[in-house]
Amino acid sequence: MPATLFDERLAWEHLLKQVSFGPRVPGTEAHRKCAEWLLAELRKTCENVRFQPFEHRWSVDGRTYRMANLLAEQNWKEAKVRVVVLAHWDTRPYADQDPDPANRTKPVLGANDGASGVAVILELARVLQGRLKDVGVLYLLTDGEDLGPDIGEMLLGARHFARNLPSPRPDYGILLDMVGDKDLRIPMERYSFQQAPWLLRELYDLAARAGMGRTFPKELGQWIIDDHVPLNEAGIPTVDLIDFTYQPWHTVRDTPEQCSPASLGKVGRLMELWLLREPAYRPPRNR
Ligand SMILES: [Zn+2]
């Protein structure tokens, strides 16, 4: 493994901090407080940190909810290659996959489903600060990814972003979702393979060279509709690094006990190596 600065203990603290607010469900105090904290954290390491607010009228109660993506840049304007790195910061209002029916109206804590990807991004922003040369990074923390109940009311922040792209726009994207599972194993997600096979192959080759081939096996996983889908539809090739074989998914057991600092470290180090590699990776023009 080449030398890296990514500190999995610091990433882990970012996971615990998000969980300490409670479930980050739109419309709640925990959601509002977490947004303020994320803004303050990103301002320590990034430029042009801002909210990208939007509203959604929820079919469940007919009320209109205010939500917001968070955007933060490093080396964005100056870069030759621009990468959006994203994760969702909201959590699911209902643990609808819980084996106990009594839990299905409770919110999900989202230690893995939400907090893990954000935790990696916050630490990644610390270690990349001042080190990027040809690459610019846009960190995008999406809201309303997991609102539901159905897919029509999910991916809300990613859809809003895809309709309101920054200028200059990203060349490609990498989504981190459910990357904290203590038994982390991330096969190649199928939409990612369909939309950006060259990007996925390069990423997995790098993982193998860094000795992480078991965590990132070169095999096809499931088709997963996630925040990368709206970006791909908007013409930004985006892959999803996701471990979807997570028993506590959308249950009240999605807690830090199911996750590990080591897993955040693996994903974080891969991202650090990827974004600092030279020459910077450029997507093929005529695909
Ligand atoms: Zn979810």
Side-chain angles (χ1 to χ4, degrees):
M1 164 82 72
T4 48
L5 298 181
F6 191 93
D7 187 337
E8 62 194 42
R9 291 163 305 171
L10 293 178
W12 184 249
E13 282 173 27
H14 292 321
L15 182 148
L16 296 178
K17 178 70 180 182
Q18 291 170 77
V19 167
S20 76
F21 292 111
R24 281 81 68 211
V25 174
T28 64
E29 183 73 0
H31 184 262
R32 197 183 60 72
K33 282 186 174 165
C34 187
E36 291 301 323
W37 176 74
L38 290 169
L39 186 78
E41 284 299 308
L42 290 167
R43 279 187 173 149
K44 293 177 186 172
T45 55
C46 298
E47 303 124 33
N48 202 8
V49 182
R50 73 268 192 195
F51 285 115
Q52 185 183 46
F54 61 97
E55 292 184 343
H56 178 72
R57 190 167 176 274
W58 199 21
S59 67
V60 169
D61 60 8
R63 289 177 52 197
T64 297
Y65 286 83
R66 292 168 61 184
M67 294 178 232
N69 298 330
L70 269 139
L71 279 69
E73 300 170 0
Q74 285 177 333
N75 202 40
W76 191 252
K77 294 279 190 299
E78 302 79 6
K80 294 176 184 154
V81 180
R82 298 185 177 86
V83 187
V84 55
V85 179
L86 65 154
H88 73 92
W89 72 273
D90 65 308
T91 57
R92 190 152 178 93
Y94 299 119
D96 47 0
Q97 299 294 320
D98 204 282
D100 180 354
N103 286 334
R104 290 179 197 160
T105 53
K106 294 177 185 168
V108 174
L109 194 54
N112 191 22
D113 193 0
S116 67
V118 173
V120 169
I121 282 180
L122 293 178
E123 171 59 2
L124 187 64
R126 185 187 72 82
V127 302
L128 293 181
Q129 191 180 16
R131 294 168 74 204
L132 293 163
K133 290 180 186 143
D134 289 345
V135 175
V137 181
L138 174 67
Y139 302 101
L140 167 64
L141 307 184
T142 61
D143 200 354
E145 189 272 346
D146 234 344
L147 188 69
D150 301 318
I151 196 67
E153 291 183 279
M154 294 172 71
L155 322 178
L156 296 174
R159 291 185 227 240
H160 183 74
F161 175 81
R163 285 192 301 267
N164 299 275
L165 292 173
S167 174
R169 56 186 271 158
D171 294 302
Y172 66 93
I174 303 173
L175 165 61
L176 309 176
D177 195 5
M178 296 172 64
V179 293
D181 186 344
K182 57 188 175 187
D183 306 313
L184 191 68
R185 194 168 182 279
I186 301 180
M188 295 171 157
E189 189 278 325
R190 295 226 179 198
Y191 285 109
S192 308
F193 190 76
Q194 184 188 56
Q195 296 291 327
W198 24 270
L199 171 56
L200 211 51
R201 214 172 281 125
E202 293 280 333
L203 259 174
Y204 278 67
D205 281 347
L206 178 62
R209 287 201 301 278
M212 296 193 286
R214 281 159 70 133
T215 304
F216 298 91
K218 289 177 189 173
E219 60 185 64
L220 285 173
Q222 304 178 57
W223 299 92
I224 299 165
I225 298 176
D226 203 347
D227 273 347
H228 62 320
V229 171
L231 272 68
N232 277 306
E233 287 171 356
I236 299 166
T238 303
V239 298
D240 188 5
L241 299 181
I242 183 167
D243 179 352
F244 203 60
T245 54
Y246 179 63
Q247 280 295 328
W249 177 68
H250 291 183
T251 75
V252 298
R253 291 190 312 107
D254 182 1
T255 59
E257 291 71 41
Q258 311 298 329
C259 303
S260 81
S263 296
L264 302 182
K266 285 172 189 162
V267 175
R269 284 189 287 277
L270 177 61
M271 293 303 294
E272 180 182 352
L273 292 170
W274 176 263
L275 292 165
L276 291 177
R277 81 180 223 169
E278 294 188 42
Y281 178 74
R282 292 158 200 273
R285 284 249 175 261
N286 49 347
R287 50 181 188 269

